[in-house]
Amino acid sequence: MTDTGPPRRVRADAERSTARILEAAEAVLAVDSTASLERIADAAGLTRVTIHRRFSSRKALIDALSARLNERYLLALKQARAETAPPVVALHRLTEIIFELKISHRFTMGLNSDSLTGRPLLSREAADGLDTLFARLHAAGAITSADPAWGRRLYLTLLCEVGELPEDAPSLRGAANGQWDEAGARTDLLVSTVIGALGGRNGRATAE
């Protein structure tokens, strides 16, 4: 007999509460990085007892935000089909997803960045996934650089630089009809720059 009783519902409720807390924390901490657990609980619409039950300290909450971001990186690699899609198409889609994350997860993105280079700090699994994609780009002839780790480091460095450009930067292209597509414009610039720097053709033309 399948167990569908109260314990499963309790776990589901706990997962929903945790998700609400993490979403609220991202929004609140992006505005005030010193915000307390109590303030985050208020933003999540939960009691202070609930947030302290889920996270014993502010550090535990921030660690959970960092872990969730690395899970999002792995999900982005999967959604971009980094191991199976045409590699330039996969790079373009991955970059678009990451810029969407940078827009919606500004606090955690800043938290999970190297203090000297600004490059995102990836888990080993996420770094390996990115290396696989750059190896595929080389195998497909999209780039001439044969060192995936170099491609990854260059990509992550330029990801930071392109992400810091102001919206009116001449190198950013806006979307048609006057609609500003921030993630799309930054993606086009980053992909074309990275592929060009690694000895390949223009990234936008290749992806299309």
Side-chain angles (χ1 to χ4, degrees):
M1 182 176 178
T2 303
D3 178 15
T4 58
R8 180 172 295 181
R9 288 196 295 272
V10 170
R11 286 195 299 273
D13 288 344
E15 290 173 0
R16 282 193 292 271
S17 293
T18 299
R20 286 173 62 183
I21 291 167
L22 293 176
E23 291 297 332
E26 184 63 52
V28 171
L29 293 171
V31 176
D32 179 5
S33 61
T34 66
S36 65
L37 286 179
E38 289 75 16
R39 183 175 167 190
I40 292 168
D42 290 342
L46 298 170
T47 66
R48 299 180 182 186
V49 172
T50 298
I51 195 169
H52 282 288
R53 186 183 299 127
R54 301 285 179 267
F55 301 100
S56 59
S57 65
R58 192 173 181 277
K59 181 181 182 303
L61 173 60
I62 289 175
D63 287 346
L65 285 171
S66 296
R68 186 179 70 154
L69 181 59
N70 268 307
E71 290 173 359
R72 296 283 174 87
Y73 282 137
L74 292 175
L75 179 59
L77 286 162
K78 182 177 180 180
Q79 291 173 329
R81 296 168 44 230
E83 295 184 358
T84 59
V88 177
V89 174
L91 181 65
H92 198 277
R93 179 58 184 142
L94 174 66
T95 305
E96 191 173 48
I97 294 170
I98 292 176
F99 274 124
E100 289 169 354
L101 284 175
K102 284 179 71 68
I103 293 167
S104 60
H105 293 70
R106 295 186 187 278
F107 172 77
T108 313
M109 280 286 192
L111 189 71
N112 281 32
S113 297
D114 184 276
S115 59
L116 294 177
T117 65
R119 288 197 300 257
L121 297 174
L122 304 183
S123 67
R124 184 67 261 170
E125 189 176 1
D128 287 346
L130 200 50
D131 284 355
T132 295
L133 178 53
F134 276 96
R136 293 187 66 230
L137 285 162
H138 177 257
I143 58 176
T144 59
S145 173
D147 182 358
W150 166 238
R152 165 171 46 86
R153 289 194 294 271
L154 177 66
Y155 175 79
L156 294 176
T157 298
L158 289 175
L159 180 73
C160 174
E161 293 297 325
V162 173
E164 293 298 319
L165 287 174
E167 291 185 5
D168 60 354
S171 51
L172 287 176
R173 295 183 295 238
N177 301 319
Q179 297 296 316
W180 168 247
D181 177 10
E182 181 175 352
R186 296 183 193 279
T187 294
D188 288 344
L189 175 60
L190 178 58
V191 171
S192 61
T193 302
V194 167
I195 290 182
L198 294 175
R201 292 179 294 163
N202 179 275
R204 181 178 177 86
T206 308
E208 294 174 350

